[in-house]
Amino acid sequence: RSPAGTSWTARMMGPGDPRYLNPSDSGHGRLLLGWEQLPASGPILAPVEGPMDCMRNWMHGIPSLALLGKSMSEAQETTIRSLRKRFPCLAIMLDDEERSMQWRIAERLCDAFEIRICKLGKAEDGSSLDPGAATSEQAWSAIDRGERYVGKRSAVSERAEAVRAALGIRR
């Protein structure tokens, strides 16, 4: 359940099975899984990709909303924006292979929130670590190390400006 409606999802676990089974008319692009569990307020909120990512973050004490896909729809953006007074910071934590989507979501929401782009790093087998498989320590560390997104100016230019200021160099 979320402000835009109600649906369900199920996950198949066998080899060769589709990962998720959803009703064909679910309209998942407008929904945000985890909405009903949100606290009244908090320092951060973590948008994630899927249900397992969301549930795992909640287990770690990280309020999260699953986009139920690899991108954020306009309806989801509107709903997330409604939370700006309750959660000042978004810690965007999509699967690592969706890195470019994290930046696109950050650009769309940076006028309403402080944004942190979170990267979980590598799993023991060397593959990219998925939020749904991260330990509590890994998830919180990714948030602590999250790269601050500052809008169209990149975080690199923000760091360069800080160095110039420290050195007394004016542009």
Side-chain angles (χ1 to χ4, degrees), residues 31-166:
L31 304 175
L32 292 162
L33 182 108
W35 181 269
E36 289 186 309
Q37 289 75 34
L38 287 178
S41 64
I44 62 158
L45 176 63
V48 296
E49 186 177 327
M52 299 306 280
D53 302 330
C54 187
M55 287 186 274
R56 177 71 93 167
N57 270 358
W58 277 101
M59 289 171 60
H60 302 319
I62 301 168
S64 297
L65 291 172
L67 299 172
L68 303 169
K70 299 180 184 308
S71 61
M72 178 180 68
S73 71
E74 287 183 24
Q76 289 170 325
E77 178 181 349
T78 299
T79 305
I80 291 171
R81 283 178 173 279
S82 74
L83 298 170
R84 70 176 142 211
K85 290 183 179 172
R86 292 171 56 186
F87 299 92
C89 180
L90 291 184
I92 300 174
M93 194 182 290
L94 301 185
D95 296 356
D96 204 41
E97 66 269 11
E98 301 306 326
R99 195 98 167 116
S100 65
M101 186 53 66
Q102 288 183 307
W103 295 100
R104 285 188 225 136
I105 291 170
E107 182 61 33
R108 289 169 59 186
L109 294 170
C110 68
D111 64 324
F113 300 91
E114 175 186 334
I115 304 284
R116 300 279 171 179
I117 304 288
C118 301
K119 185 174 181 178
L120 286 160
K122 300 288 181 188
E124 288 183 20
D125 66 0
S127 64
S128 295
L129 187 59
D130 183 273
T135 65
S136 184
E137 182 179 335
Q138 291 166 325
W140 281 106
S141 179
I143 290 170
D144 292 341
R145 292 187 329 266
E147 184 174 348
R148 184 168 177 249
Y149 184 81
V150 293
K152 295 211 185 258
R153 299 177 326 140
S154 71
V156 172
S157 73
E158 182 181 61
R159 285 192 293 271
E161 287 179 24
V163 169
R164 282 190 209 97

